[in-house]
Amino acid sequence: MSMLLAASFTLLAACGSQTGGDTAAASAGTASAATESGKPVEIEFWYGLGGNLGDNMKAKIEAFNKSQDEVVVKGIAQADYTETEQKLQAAIASNNVPAAVLSSNVDWARKGYYASLDEMIAADPEFKSEDFVQTFLNQGKVDGKQYFLPMYGTTQVMYYRKDTLEAAGIDPASLKTWEALADAAAKMTKKEGDKTTFYGWEPMWGEGNMIDAALSRGGQVLSEDGKTVMIDSPEWIETWEHFRKWIHEDQIMRIHSGGQGWEYWYKTIDDVMKNKAAGYTGSSGDQGDLDFNIVAAMEQPGWEGVGEGKPVANAIQAGIVAKATPEQQQAAFKWFTYFMQPENTADWSMNTGYIAVRQSSLEDPAFKAFSEKNPQISVPLQQASHASVPYQDPTGGKITDALKLAADQVQINNVPAEQALKEAQAKAQSELDRVTK
């Protein structure tokens, strides 16, 4: 197991990097985060996590505050990542900002809303950049400068009820393609008349799982030269049309949409845990909310004739707001580096299922012992070893917005994938042309 996990990290480190633009550098300050009066620096840390994840974040903040006397972190929970960014935008406009946020935005870094971290990193001999999973660390770079730090890594994997698959005579190891999964879902689906009472699978609402599936079929978001939006290619249309048919025509799959914050996510999980669905596609970070006496984990499938799945492996990143004082920025950096210490990122992985960001965390004794007893913790790492690097939206999010709308059209409104994606491509291409021509 240790060799497998190490191999996964090695492959991750070989992935490419993403770069962006420039912004004002944060003051490196002094080696100590405390004020000249000797009183601790108090900062706010905003994060969009709920449930088990929120509880684990609270515990980490409390542990940090008890570990030293220079900084006091006040955690402020938001409904989700999107709300964090929305409230941060208002805070920046009003000049009343938190110092630290579990959020990242390349366009905002270019505009100077976030502080560059390079000077603080250079002044910290314990940072050890080479120990980080490089694909995660590099996702926080903008035009060659480090603006964001990876708190943890994530990728969407598959969770299934062991009893349901066993009763249906389905070997989870046989579900290597989406076609095979659809056949299994049809076999496990239960109906009363025209109404489905038990679903064979539940993809997660939103564009994320749909993008993963399209990339696994060989689709691209952008052309190699970065000038053409490719989301209406046959690979995208065929993939998304499969999902539309499974959800609306065959009714062997369904999604929960809408609600407050992560409500739709937890409804999806509940369907599986309460025996209303055979399985679902969710985050590696769901593991802390699941009972693995009931469920097990597997990688996302690929497509027949194409190969293994290539879903995105993404770093959940944190940044320091440029309008925070130098002392607050130093305090925020101290908090981030504490969270990313090998033993702490390993502990976060064990408690949440998210991917640790430090390679040395694999040698943590507690993590080694845990992985031997809980094999599901290795599934995200195995998948990340052949995952796609997340694309960087050069339009400041307009391409992503077009994909979100198209996904809703397909998943919720039963609009044919070709129509939804061609409309999205036209909007996205228009926005891309504005920044490339």
Side-chain angles (χ1 to χ4, degrees):
M1 178 66 70
S2 297
M3 291 177 66
L4 172 63
L5 299 180
S8 297
F9 272 112
T10 301
L11 287 164
L12 272 170
C15 295
S17 66
Q18 301 180 44
T19 57
D22 190 20
T23 187
S27 170
T30 62
S32 172
T35 61
E36 291 182 3
S37 65
K39 295 181 179 179
V41 179
E42 294 188 5
I43 62 169
E44 289 186 357
F45 172 56
W46 290 9
Y47 59 93
L49 301 174
N52 174 70
L53 296 175
D55 292 340
N56 274 283
M57 184 59 76
K58 289 178 183 177
K60 275 284 176 281
I61 291 171
E62 291 175 2
F64 170 71
N65 288 339
K66 292 178 181 178
S67 72
Q68 43 74 53
D69 57 8
E70 292 185 341
V71 177
V72 174
V73 173
K74 180 181 180 182
I76 307 294
Q78 318 291 345
D80 53 25
Y81 299 134
T82 301
E83 183 176 284
T84 300
E85 186 162 278
Q86 291 171 343
K87 289 190 174 182
L88 178 61
Q89 188 173 30
I92 291 172
S94 66
N95 292 316
N96 184 20
V97 299
V101 290
L102 188 64
S103 184
S104 61
N105 186 310
V106 170
D107 189 49
W108 287 10
R110 290 191 175 113
K111 291 179 179 179
Y113 297 165
Y114 284 99
S116 170
L117 309 179
D118 290 321
E119 291 184 30
M120 285 183 274
I121 290 172
D124 182 2
E126 299 301 317
F127 189 80
K128 299 185 182 350
S129 296
E130 68 281 1
D131 185 40
F132 282 80
V133 178
Q134 294 303 295
T135 188
F136 290 157
L137 187 64
N138 288 335
Q139 285 175 39
K141 290 183 178 178
V142 180
D143 280 355
K145 295 182 178 180
Q146 197 79 44
Y147 281 91
F148 307 104
L149 294 174
M151 300 288 271
Y152 46 92
T154 184
T155 187
Q156 287 201 33
V157 297
M158 317 290 272
Y159 299 103
Y160 62 89
R161 290 189 64 94
K162 292 182 283 189
D163 58 352
T164 302
L165 268 69
E166 183 179 356
I170 297 169
D171 180 1
S174 69
L175 304 180
K176 299 297 186 184
T177 66
W178 278 105
E179 292 91 343
L181 180 64
D183 289 343
K187 186 176 182 179
M188 293 183 289
T189 295
K190 299 175 183 178
K191 296 184 178 182
E192 293 181 2
D194 294 332
K195 182 180 180 181
T196 300
T197 57
F198 183 93
Y199 286 89
W201 202 263
E202 295 195 3
M204 191 60 71
W205 176 43
E207 77 284 0
N209 185 204
M210 304 268 276
I211 291 173
D212 281 349
L215 297 177
S216 295
R217 192 187 278 268
Q220 297 175 252
V221 177
L222 299 174
S223 59
E224 296 299 330
D225 62 6
K227 295 182 179 180
T228 304
V229 180
M230 305 286 288
I231 60 175
D232 63 341
S233 70
E235 294 87 354
W236 283 83
I237 292 172
E238 291 169 11
T239 297
W240 285 33
E241 184 63 15
H242 274 300
F243 280 87
R244 185 199 66 78
K245 182 174 181 291
W246 293 331
I247 293 168
H248 295 286
E249 294 182 14
D250 301 340
Q251 296 183 14
I252 59 174
M253 300 185 185
R254 79 159 167 189
I255 59 163
H256 286 285
S257 60
Q260 180 68 27
W262 297 106
E263 182 180 345
Y264 71 94
W265 201 286
Y266 289 110
K267 282 185 176 180
T268 305
I269 294 176
D270 284 347
D271 275 0
V272 177
M273 299 309 298
K274 294 179 180 179
N275 203 20
K276 296 179 181 179
Y280 79 102
T281 311
S283 169
S284 56
D286 291 351
Q287 293 192 15
D289 290 306
L290 300 175
D291 182 350
F292 284 94
N293 293 312
I294 298 173
V295 300
M298 66 183 182
E299 296 184 44
Q300 278 198 49
W303 294 92
E304 289 181 4
V306 179
E308 63 187 352
K310 294 184 178 180
V312 169
N314 192 43
I316 304 300
Q317 302 175 94
I320 296 175
V321 183
K323 285 188 175 181
T325 67
E327 291 80 14
Q328 290 173 330
Q329 291 183 20
Q330 281 291 323
F333 184 75
K334 187 179 182 69
W335 154 235
F336 289 165
T337 53
Y338 171 86
F339 190 96
M340 295 181 295
Q341 288 175 5
E343 63 273 20
N344 288 332
T345 189
D347 181 71
W348 179 265
S349 180
M350 288 184 284
N351 284 306
T352 68
Y354 280 115
I355 305 171
V357 300
R358 298 284 289 269
Q359 298 185 62
S360 57
S361 65
L362 294 173
E363 301 306 316
D364 180 74
F367 187 86
K368 279 185 172 181
F370 183 86
S371 63
E372 291 175 1
K373 295 180 179 179
N374 299 274
Q376 71 273 2
I377 197 71
S378 70
V379 172
L381 290 171
Q382 292 169 337
Q383 181 168 285
S385 71
H386 53 85
S388 298
V389 176
Y391 86 100
Q392 199 171 74
D393 191 339
T395 67
K398 297 297 185 359
I399 296 175
T400 301
D401 289 343
L403 280 167
K404 287 180 179 178
L405 179 58
D408 279 353
Q409 291 286 75
V410 172
Q411 293 179 334
I412 299 173
N413 299 327
N414 195 21
V415 173
E418 183 172 11
Q419 176 184 336
L421 285 167
K422 285 192 176 297
E423 291 175 356
Q425 194 278 339
K427 293 177 182 178
Q429 188 65 54
S430 177
E431 295 294 340
L432 181 63
D433 289 343
R434 294 176 186 269
V435 297
T436 60
K437 293 184 178 179

